[in-house]
Amino acid sequence: MNKDFWNGKKVLVTGHTGFKGSWLCLLLYSLGAKVTGYSMRPPTSPSLFELCRIDQLIPTRYADIRNIHTLQSTILELKPEIVIHMAAQPLVRTSYLNPVETYEINVMGTVHLLEAVRNAIHKGIPIKAVINVTTDKCYGNKEWFWGYRENDVLGGYDPYSSSKACSELVTEAYRKSFFNLEDYESHGVGVATARAGNVIGGGDWAVDRLIPDCIKTLLRGEKIKIRNPYAIRPWQHVLDPLSGYLLLVEKLYSDGKQYSEGWNFGPDDDSGKSVEWVVKSLCSKWGEDATYEIENGRHLHEAHQLRLDCSKAKFKLGWYPKWNTECAIDKVIEWTQAYQSNSDLMAVCMKQIDEYRNIDMKSI
């Protein structure tokens, strides 16, 4: 991440009140960007957004991504150079309960965002880079032991995964129809998608995510219950994919024609750990007699094996993950202990961001 590049850049982030969006806003703020957020109010209470007082750092527009008129007027007013689209219904199990809403937000929300960008370009707004953040679950999962590459078939068993695959297809259609690379010199907009794995980090309070559920259970002094102990996921600290997104933006901004495509941002192969391994590690590091048990019975379908091949991002962007799963768990515990002691959580996040940015890749 090049601080000289980001200093003063006008950035619009949708979905900035969520866990991942909040960390992104803090990261961009630390780099000197002029960030504005567009989102519904925080989806959980407590929330990282409120605990870190992010609304005091950046201007916020509380609005629904499904309201295309508000979104269009916001973009025309703000005149951003960079748009990072993260607004979403992000949970697999919630998508089983509310499939229509999931498709409305994740598919039509993407349509609205790209249509608003298209209209803004026609009106002379100098948008240079757009990233649609989707998920590793957008691939048609065949339960392979090797990682999915960006040219593998998209799919999705559940409504969430399917909606994100649809969002990828919407982005590709808009790129080909309205931001075609052959006409790049005339429109000047780089449009890409970013697919990341299971992100973890301090301040995630979402329901039905492994680490947040574990942390909430531990804070109550109860035994953790896990559904799918042998499921393997590409666990990564939230700052790893976020750094990839920002590096991709830097490339898109200067040469959108070369980088307008889909990109994977996942951990190295040795960070593909089972659910039970992650929970056992968390309990060991937490101490205080933290324990877990495997919950029997039938559960909603969830993928057993999921890995990403991130070779393209490594070779073409020069991006590499910096924190392995064990280190990521350490950072979650550090943040949670600060939360328990009523510490300044914005300062804790900024400290972790500084530590992350100051890592010398040559030493890894």
Side-chain angles (χ1 to χ4, degrees), residues 96-264:
Y96 281 111
L97 299 174
N98 300 302
V100 173
E101 182 180 65
T102 298
Y103 282 107
E104 287 176 343
I105 296 171
N106 294 353
V107 182
M108 290 309 300
T110 301
V111 173
H112 292 167
L113 186 281
L114 293 172
E115 184 66 8
V117 168
R118 183 170 79 95
N119 290 335
I121 295 299
H122 286 321
K123 295 180 183 296
I125 306 301
I127 299 173
K128 295 285 292 179
V130 179
I131 288 186
N132 176 24
V133 175
T134 62
T135 175
D136 58 350
K137 297 173 183 64
C138 69
Y139 292 106
N141 191 358
K142 301 185 184 340
E143 302 286 355
W144 286 334
F145 286 97
W146 52 88
Y148 290 93
R149 295 172 296 179
E150 288 85 350
N151 58 355
D152 280 322
V153 174
L154 301 177
Y157 182 104
D158 56 86
Y160 167 74
S161 303
S162 168
S163 71
K164 284 299 194 175
C166 291
S167 179
E168 287 275 350
L169 294 174
V170 166
T171 306
E172 183 180 12
Y174 262 79
R175 183 167 51 229
K176 290 179 176 178
S177 300
F178 308 115
F179 309 112
N180 196 288
L181 300 184
E182 294 182 2
D183 302 322
Y184 178 74
E185 284 69 24
S186 62
H187 59 74
V189 188
V191 179
T193 58
R195 307 157 185 175
N198 287 47
V199 298
I200 63 177
D204 189 358
W205 301 98
V207 177
D208 287 328
R209 280 188 188 148
L210 180 63
I211 294 297
D213 286 350
C214 290
I215 290 297
K216 285 180 280 189
T217 302
L218 291 172
L219 288 173
R220 294 194 301 266
E222 298 174 1
K223 180 181 291 188
I224 295 170
K225 296 181 180 180
I226 56 178
R227 297 187 301 267
N228 297 294
Y230 308 116
I232 295 174
R233 295 289 184 273
W235 311 100
Q236 58 189 154
H237 191 274
V238 63
L239 290 176
D240 266 336
L242 292 183
S243 70
Y245 303 165
L246 298 193
L247 183 56
L248 175 56
V249 167
E250 293 174 22
K251 300 291 188 180
L252 277 176
Y253 192 96
S254 59
D255 189 0
K257 191 172 183 178
Q258 180 71 22
Y259 297 95
S260 292
E261 51 192 3
W263 298 84
N264 287 342

Side-chain angles (χ1 to χ4, degrees), residues 6 9-15 24 28 36 38 65 71 74-76 78-87 109-110 112-114 116-118 120-121 125-133 189-193 245-246 249 252-253:
W6 287 100
K9 287 288 190 302
K10 296 173 68 175
V11 185
L12 175 67
V13 176
T14 71
L24 178 61
L28 286 168
T36 299
Y38 182 101
I65 197 70
L71 182 59
T74 298
I75 290 179
L76 289 174
L78 296 176
K79 301 178 176 59
E81 302 166 77
I82 296 161
V83 177
I84 302 177
H85 177 46
M86 300 184 72
T110 301
H112 292 167
L113 186 281
L114 293 172
V117 168
R118 183 170 79 95
I121 295 299
I125 306 301
I127 299 173
K128 295 285 292 179
V130 179
I131 288 186
N132 176 24
V133 175
V189 188
V191 179
T193 58
Y245 303 165
L246 298 193
V249 167
L252 277 176
Y253 192 96

